[in-house]
Amino acid sequence: MPGHVGIILDGNRRHARESGMQNPDAIYRLGAAKLDDILAWSADLGVRRVTLWVFSPDNLRRPEAEVGGIFGAVEAKMRDLAADPHIRHKGVHITAIGRRDLLPPALLEALDAAEAATRGNDQITVTLAIGYGGREEIADAVRALLKDFAAQGLSIMQAAAQVSPETIRRHLYLADMPDPDLIIRTSGEVRLSGFMLWQSVHSELYFCDVNWPVMRRIDYLRAIRAYQRRERRFGA
């Protein structure tokens, strides 16, 4: 069983077109509601960590109403989860990674409230990658590493000698996060688009045609079974 599953949530707009939905708020609320299913399925299977890619910096180029629909749906969902007593009972811990400066204050407040309300839970960790891009994460990690070197008074040559994959890894958004064993992308698109670029080097990839808002338990199980049939070599 994979310990960490990453999911690229794709296909909200495609599902809306196919079902005749036009209200961005309704479209993305439907997608946000799917989180409840993922939590239940993962808990049943024993998956201890799930990372969901919700929004990237590139998504800011979408129409304002659409961006607002995404932010509003996530904010509402986080407020619901923070107040849900079942979340504590299930041991769900919620975290978030990404560029906070790209997000509106109300959404940041909701994310912080959900994280604070679930901080003591340790059965399953759900990480929202929102305002997140893999290149941005690596750039931010290198920036933070250089600041550390500067604070230590190191010269450029001394700092360069200490740069390694491990020193960069320690400055990623969640440095203690285990790499994803399995990455699933919905909607039929066959690419990672920058999701967890650093961490996905040995991840198994699974692409399914179903759109995110209508992903079923059987679709999740098929991804898990495909993972279990593979022989992981980790580059060896």
Side-chain angles (χ1 to χ4, degrees):
M1 188 62 60
H4 182 187
V5 175
I7 307 178
I8 302 173
L9 316 185
D10 199 11
N12 287 289
R13 293 183 296 178
R14 187 171 294 126
H15 175 68
R17 288 194 298 268
E18 292 173 356
S19 58
M21 298 177 65
Q22 297 183 2
N23 185 332
D25 294 335
I27 292 167
Y28 291 106
R29 280 198 303 270
L30 186 63
K34 183 56 59 175
L35 175 57
D36 295 333
D37 290 336
I38 290 293
L39 283 174
W41 302 337
S42 298
D44 289 346
L45 292 169
V47 176
R48 296 296 301 275
R49 182 180 286 274
V50 179
T51 299
L52 307 171
W53 196 12
V54 178
F55 186 86
S56 76
D58 290 339
N59 294 152
L60 286 171
R61 297 199 296 264
R62 294 183 179 182
E64 184 177 347
E66 189 173 325
V67 173
I70 296 172
F71 288 163
V74 176
E75 178 189 341
K77 190 61 183 176
M78 290 302 101
R79 295 194 188 281
D80 288 345
L81 292 179
D84 187 350
H86 295 96
I87 292 299
R88 177 171 295 182
H89 176 71
K90 295 175 182 176
V92 178
H93 175 214
I94 298 171
T95 63
I97 57 175
R99 290 267 179 92
R100 290 177 62 91
D101 59 297
L102 300 180
L103 308 179
L107 176 53
L108 290 174
E109 181 185 345
L111 289 168
D112 291 342
E115 184 164 3
T118 62
R119 188 167 290 132
N121 301 339
D122 60 2
Q123 294 303 304
I124 180 170
T125 298
V126 176
T127 302
L128 295 187
I130 183 165
Y132 172 88
R135 289 178 174 177
E136 286 78 8
E137 180 180 22
I138 294 171
D140 287 347
V142 172
R143 188 178 299 109
L145 178 61
L146 293 176
K147 288 180 179 178
D148 280 356
F149 288 156
Q152 298 171 37
L154 301 183
S155 69
I156 291 178
M157 293 305 296
Q158 290 172 325
Q162 294 195 34
V163 174
S164 69
E166 178 57 25
T167 58
I168 294 174
R169 185 197 64 79
R170 289 200 298 265
H171 290 80
L172 296 173
Y173 290 147
L174 289 178
D176 59 346
M177 177 191 289
D179 293 345
D181 300 297
L182 170 66
I183 294 177
I184 302 168
R185 180 166 187 158
T186 56
S187 87
E189 299 291 346
V190 185
R191 59 179 182 275
L192 289 180
S193 299
F195 180 56
M196 304 192 85
L197 286 176
W198 186 277
Q199 301 91 335
S200 63
V201 61
H202 294 306
S203 302
E204 297 297 326
L205 309 180
Y206 182 86
F207 302 96
C208 62
D209 291 334
V210 66
N211 292 321
W212 166 248
V214 288
M215 186 179 186
R216 303 162 300 172
R217 179 184 176 89
I218 188 61
D219 299 312
Y220 196 45
L221 289 174
R222 284 170 178 160
I224 299 293
R225 289 169 183 160
Y227 167 85
Q228 292 174 328
R229 288 194 295 266
R230 298 179 188 178
E231 181 181 357
R232 304 190 72 194
R233 298 180 179 273
F234 298 96

